[in-house]
Amino acid sequence: LKEDGLKEERVLLLDAWRVFEKTKGDTAGVSSVEAKMPRRIKKKRMQVDEESGAEIGWEEYFDYHFPDDEGAASNLKILDMAAKWKQAQDAESSDDSDSDSD
């Protein structure tokens, strides 16, 4: 479900799992499922008429941010920032070596 981008289905599955853990499981199982539950965020997007292409108005919808997904995205951002820093350091060191040889 994660790879297909089916966020609402993931929420329903996690919710059913949480209900099951509350009735049949222990507190450790409930807390592990609740740690995987997403944050529900209210967003807006512009609605466009498919036939005429005219803007109809704003639509409010709920998006879900899962803890598993956020960790991967923040790690990629850190790696990207590290790569940019490394390139800047390499460029700076090559500029310093050029001015030293003159």
Side-chain angles (χ1 to χ4, degrees):
L1 296 175
K2 185 177 186 177
E3 291 81 21
D4 295 334
L6 303 173
K7 292 183 178 184
E8 292 180 6
E9 287 79 358
R10 287 174 68 189
V11 172
L12 291 173
L13 183 63
L14 283 171
D15 194 38
W17 186 11
R18 182 176 54 185
V19 169
F20 173 78
E21 287 292 336
K22 284 182 179 179
T23 57
K24 305 283 184 189
D26 57 353
T27 56
V30 173
S31 62
S32 69
V33 173
E34 286 181 348
K36 297 178 183 187
M37 292 297 288
R39 289 182 296 139
R40 186 172 140 182
I41 299 173
K42 191 177 195 179
K43 292 187 173 184
K44 292 182 180 181
R45 61 181 163 209
M46 180 60 71
Q47 279 188 316
V48 178
D49 186 19
E50 294 178 7
E51 295 176 6
S52 65
E55 296 177 350
I56 298 173
W58 290 96
E59 172 191 20
E60 291 184 348
Y61 68 100
F62 290 103
D63 194 17
Y64 299 97
H65 290 273
F66 292 87
D68 299 341
D69 298 346
E70 291 175 1
S74 66
N75 288 344
L76 292 176
K77 186 175 181 181
I78 289 171
L79 288 174
D80 187 39
M81 291 172 59
K84 288 180 182 177
W85 177 83
K86 179 69 174 165
Q87 288 176 349
Q89 293 296 320
D90 291 343
E92 187 176 300
S93 65
S94 67
D95 290 344
D96 289 344
S97 64
D98 289 344
S99 63
D100 291 343
S101 62
D102 288 339

